[in-house]
Amino acid sequence: MVSTYGPGGGAKLRCAASSSAAAPARPVKAPRFIQHKKEAFWFYRFISVAYDNVFNPGHFTENMRDDALEPADLYSSHLKVVDVGGGTGFTTLGIVKHVDPENVTLLDQSPHQLEKARQKVALKGVTIMEGDAEDLPFPTDTFDRYVSAGSIEYWPDPQRGIKEAYRVLKFGGTACVIGPVYPTFWLSRFFADMWMLFPQEEEYIEWFKKAGFKDVKLKRIGPKWYRGVRRHGLIIGCSVTGVKRERGDSSLELGPKAEDVSKPVNPITFLFRFLIGTICAAYYVLVPIYMWIKDKIVPKGMPI
């Protein structure tokens, strides 16, 4: 099964299962130096300065965003929506095209990212707050839609975050998680495993189903200049949705949190993880530039 990209960079195919059965398995254990809340906090402390204008355009365009949000079915301005890990509000801007800002909540652990969101005129009226994706500060059965874009890669325990998505949704509500996909090219796999979490498509589907979601679907997306290439992985590579068909919390039982942010960390260890993780992240700043150059050089219709 092959996925093709539309004009906006989003895939035309929506599938309930992945076509990447032959892809290399993602290692269960890998350094993933920035897949920790404390490292991610400081990582975004610095990149928030240029996040919207420098880092985002190479990985998550406005057309990609709108395409990724399409499966969330934001059909009414009266829907109550939460954007988890919403950062500077880039995805929230796509949500408020369809939903009244007063019905939208933007949550993120980074005050620096949220400060950028508060400066956006279109987000006036949106409730903007700090919080943890793995421990949401909302009652059970609260929202009609749960959206999270570009956040799961920093969750120490993705299954816990998706279980929380299930909990805070109302009966019949839809969760939409937009995130990275794991690379197949060896060098890209190395840097991905050193930087943060790049899930495989099958993992998203498994996490959703274990949490209790039904009608789980995965839609492939990517920058249009990649021409459908996914071997390097993608920071934003898929949009996964599931529907909550029962009221209340998920029946899934989980152990203690993978990371306790209240515990002190060794500053030397922290600095090492942060610096190495940030260096590895730089590789994925270069990949979209490399792909853009190839798109310009290689004739249309030929593989890149």
Side-chain angles (χ1 to χ4, degrees):
M1 187 184 298
V2 179
S3 175
T4 58
Y5 289 86
K12 295 178 181 178
L13 170 69
R14 185 185 297 180
C15 54
S18 170
S19 61
S20 56
R26 182 177 68 83
V28 176
K29 292 186 178 180
R32 292 194 281 273
F33 288 121
I34 305 295
Q35 194 199 348
H36 297 266
K37 291 186 176 72
K38 289 187 177 180
E39 285 87 349
F41 176 91
W42 285 101
F43 183 71
Y44 276 100
R45 168 65 181 85
F46 295 106
I47 72 168
S48 63
V49 177
Y51 183 80
D52 286 333
N53 299 320
V54 177
F55 297 102
N56 233 20
H59 299 288
F60 197 23
T61 65
E62 290 185 9
N63 285 336
M64 285 176 62
R65 176 194 65 196
D66 295 342
D67 205 27
L69 285 173
E70 181 270 332
D73 192 22
L74 302 172
Y75 66 88
S76 170
S77 62
H78 301 295
L79 290 171
K80 193 172 182 182
V81 183
V82 61
D83 182 8
V84 174
T88 64
F90 178 76
T91 303
T92 322
L93 289 172
I95 294 171
V96 298
K97 286 183 177 182
H98 309 279
V99 180
D100 290 340
E102 292 75 15
N103 295 329
V104 178
T105 299
L106 190 168
L107 176 142
D108 198 279
Q109 76 148 355
S110 170
H112 313 101
Q113 292 281 80
L114 293 178
E115 185 56 36
K116 296 293 182 182
R118 291 188 177 97
Q119 295 171 13
K120 291 181 168 65
V121 175
L123 299 185
K124 298 299 181 185
V126 171
T127 299
I128 299 176
M129 60 189 296
E130 291 183 42
D132 183 352
E134 296 181 358
D135 188 13
L136 296 173
F138 310 115
T140 300
D141 301 331
T142 297
F143 297 98
D144 300 298
R145 296 290 184 271
Y146 169 104
V147 174
S148 181
S151 179
I152 192 172
E153 56 265 38
Y154 302 109
W155 301 353
D157 185 355
Q159 183 66 81
R160 187 178 299 276
I162 292 175
K163 181 179 184 291
E164 275 291 270
Y166 184 95
R167 182 184 67 79
V168 301
L169 279 172
K170 298 177 183 177
F171 172 77
T174 297
C176 177
V177 174
I178 303 163
V181 290
Y182 194 62
T184 58
F185 180 60
W186 69 271
L187 186 61
S188 298
R189 290 203 310 271
F190 171 81
F191 282 106
D193 289 333
M194 294 290 282
W195 180 18
M196 61 181 186
L197 176 66
F198 282 71
Q200 292 186 305
E201 293 176 352
E202 296 89 348
E203 292 181 287
Y204 283 103
I205 293 168
E206 181 182 5
W207 290 329
F208 267 70
K209 288 184 175 179
K210 280 186 175 180
F213 284 105
K214 306 298 182 184
D215 305 320
V216 179
K217 296 181 174 67
L218 184 148
K219 177 179 182 179
R220 289 180 171 182
I221 56 176
K224 62 182 179 181
W225 61 91
Y226 276 54
R227 300 190 197 176
V229 169
R230 298 172 77 80
R231 63 179 175 271
H232 295 294
L234 290 160
I235 304 299
I236 298 293
C238 66
S239 174
V240 187
T241 52
V243 180
K244 181 175 179 176
R245 296 297 186 191
E246 296 182 14
R247 292 177 174 82
D249 198 356
S250 168
S251 60
L252 180 64
E253 296 290 337
L254 297 175
K257 281 187 174 183
E259 179 184 5
D260 183 354
V261 294
S262 65
K263 289 184 178 180
V265 296
N266 183 304
I268 303 300
T269 301
F270 169 83
L271 183 61
F272 173 81
R273 292 183 61 89
F274 179 78
L275 291 177
I276 298 299
T278 302
I279 291 169
C280 294
Y283 174 83
Y284 275 95
V285 174
L286 299 176
V287 167
I289 299 172
Y290 166 72
M291 294 301 295
W292 181 84
I293 293 172
K294 289 190 73 174
D295 178 59
K296 296 299 181 184
I297 295 174
V298 178
K300 301 298 182 183
M302 294 184 63
I304 61 171

